[in-house]
Amino acid sequence: MLEYAAKILAGARFAIAFTGAGISAESGVPTFRGANGLWKKYRAEELATPEAFQRDPYLVWEFYRWRMKKILRAKPNPAHLSLAEMEELGIIKAVITQNVDDLHRDAGTRNLIELHGNIFRVRCTSCDYRENLKESGRVLEIINSKELPRCPRCGSVLRPDVVWFGEPLPRDALDKAFDLAERADAILVVGTSGVVYPAAYIPYIVKEHGGMVVEVNVERSGITPIADVFLRGRAGEILPKLLRLVRELK
Ligand code: BJW
Ligand code: ZN
């Protein structure tokens, strides 16, 4: 199966990758769903919504501070690094991610499309103020504070610049992702449950346009029914092997 997957990728003219929380699991970033995917007693669907933020911004900020702390300590794992190297070698043209961590960027991926925003950016709930906390050097200040972060321009509460349920995905990112999916003749899907839309349409678009779908996951997902090859296992173990084989074939 691994050889077949390598053949698909090596033979592709325009391959892309699509990733979810599972690719960062081995870096110590908890996933949303599944056995280790819980935060206290809340589910993503109960915290990652504008309603939850309106009801209890302290609770939602506590969740995001906890995640920011974990992500800050995390380093790209061999799966992120393998994807970056595949791009470097011209095997894949872009990585479309649902993740809000910076691990693909840290691994060296250049053409990165972030569908659900980025946890290290904040934006104002009233005006158009935005801030990249890594660039402004305020990550630790925000993580360590117990207060709600406030907009320096208008004083309203700041929120994480991520996409919550019921909110539209950034137009630019979604357009780019759908365009890439229409052009791709192969997609490598890694570590996503494939149940959150519109992101989960992406492998389906590739398939509908005649492209091949290679999936890496520790368990079956919403994408598995259309996968031409399903590689069951940990991304950090499978992707380096896949990279080695593709390199030999190239
Ligand atoms: C491993 C591994 C290892 C573990 N190796 N693998 C149809 C069409 C359009 C929309 C909808 C639709 N049906 C329903 C909707 C609405 C909704 C939706 O999809 N709901 C479903 C849950 C039913 N979608 C939305 O609301 C979206 N917005 C929208 O539709 O807007 C419409 C609109 C238009 C115009 C105006 C207004 C509105 C927005 C969705 C936003 C999702 N946000 C979150 C939070 C982001 C911020 C944050 O990080 O906090 O995004 S929720 C969460 O789920 C996060 C993730 O990106 C996303 C996907 O999760 P992912 O990445 O797949 O992770 P997990 O945990 O689910 O899975 C991990 C996988 O890894 C598992 O399969 C494991 O087996 C595997 N794994 N370890 C390999 N080592
Ligand atoms: Zn403001």
Side-chain angles (χ1 to χ4, degrees), residues 124 126-127 129 151 153-156:
C124 181
S126 299
C127 73
Y129 179 79
C151 174
R153 268 195 214 145
C154 76
S156 297

Side-chain angles (χ1 to χ4, degrees), residues 20-22 25-26 31-33 45 48 64 67 98-100 116 162-169 191-198 201 217-219 233-235:
E26 289 156 75
T31 59
F32 293 91
R33 298 164 190 87
E45 282 79 353
Y64 279 92
R67 301 252 314 280
Q98 300 164 84
N99 299 344
V100 297
H116 293 160
V162 298
V163 182
W164 287 330
F165 285 109
E167 295 184 324
L169 276 61
T192 178
S193 53
V195 298
V196 174
Y197 287 87
Y201 283 133
N217 200 311
V218 291
E219 54 189 49
R234 288 151 69 99

